[in-house]
Amino acid sequence: MQPDCDAGRRHRRFEVAPRDPGTCGQVAPYAYELIGLHRRDIDLDHDTVRVRRAVAELFNGQREIKAPKSAAGKRTVSIPAAIIPDIRDHLKRYAEHGADSRVFLGAKGATPRRNHFNRLWRKACSDAGLKGLHFHDLRHTGNTLAASTGASTRELMARMGHSTSRAALIYQHASAARDRLIADALSDLVDKSRKPGRKQDPEPEGHAGDTAD
């Protein structure tokens, strides 16, 4: 959906310079799925977006409208409430009017092309002070954040539009690794709070010895 941004105002139809990449990737679509979105695919009464088609650009420059790669790719994804106002604003300002109209347009009203979008993306990222950020990184961020909420493998697969568990397990592993780092940081805080030379509490006797067999 529409990234939250200030930079790149001259290319507002793309909204491509995010202040918060995590926000931009919370629905986690592919770029060609975004370009394939029509107004009727976005249900703001129920905060969902339906992914039904993709616009692929071939090496010869021709574009092809097709279904997602797999049956799992056709999906309905819940939209985080925090970004609904941004989506409403985008639809009001930049999308075509009419239920079957396009959500994302080029600067001259045409369907965006890869090379033009890439130039705008690099320019907007530069204006925002973001180095080495690829558009697909937003999807990775959204999937990692979804995994960090404790979503199951099956739930992640449904949200990402994958028919196999491989990618979902990767994001869950990343979330688990991050949780390990958090636990290690907490351990460091506890260790620092235990000042050297501090008088230790007497060893508790416990209750096990008083428990009859």
Side-chain angles (χ1 to χ4, degrees), residues 1-2 12-15 34 37-40 42 44 86-106 109-110:
M1 289 301 136
Q2 174 200 26
R12 282 298 301 270
R13 286 184 183 272
F14 286 105
E15 292 289 355
L34 286 173
L37 287 178
H38 291 178
R39 273 183 175 266
R40 68 169 71 251
I42 301 175
L44 295 181
D86 301 293
I87 295 172
R88 290 187 185 278
D89 183 64
H90 176 89
L91 293 175
K92 179 180 179 181
R93 294 171 180 262
Y94 310 112
E96 289 181 321
H97 297 292
D100 203 38
S101 299
R102 294 168 296 171
V103 173
F104 292 97
L105 309 174

Side-chain angles (χ1 to χ4, degrees), residues 57-68:
E57 184 174 337
L58 307 180
F59 289 109
N60 61 8
Q62 293 183 341
R63 281 174 292 199
E64 181 179 289
I65 300 175
K66 59 182 183 179

Side-chain angles (χ1 to χ4, degrees), residues 16-87:
V16 292
R19 286 195 304 262
D20 180 359
T23 299
C24 305
Q26 285 182 7
V27 181
Y30 291 104
Y32 48 80
E33 291 176 343
L34 286 173
I35 295 174
L37 287 178
H38 291 178
R39 273 183 175 266
R40 68 169 71 251
D41 297 320
I42 301 175
D43 184 352
L44 295 181
D45 291 328
H46 299 91
D47 296 352
T48 60
V49 57
R50 296 187 309 163
V51 179
R52 294 293 180 267
R53 70 189 69 80
V55 178
E57 184 174 337
L58 307 180
F59 289 109
N60 61 8
Q62 293 183 341
R63 281 174 292 199
E64 181 179 289
I65 300 175
K66 59 182 183 179
K69 294 179 179 179
S70 66
K74 291 184 177 181
R75 61 201 187 278
T76 298
V77 182
S78 295
I79 305 170
I83 63 174
I84 290 296
D86 301 293
I87 295 172

Side-chain angles (χ1 to χ4, degrees), residues 167-212:
L169 290 173
I170 289 173
Y171 290 112
Q172 286 181 319
H173 176 74
S175 178
R178 179 59 185 163
D179 189 59
R180 181 69 261 166
L181 291 175
I182 293 172
D184 291 343
L186 291 172
S187 181
D188 289 341
L189 290 175
V190 173
D191 287 339
K192 290 177 181 178
S193 70
R194 293 173 174 171
K195 298 179 181 179
R198 172 185 168 187
K199 184 178 179 181
Q200 298 295 316
D201 294 329
E203 188 71 22
E205 295 181 1
H207 303 288
D210 297 330
T211 302

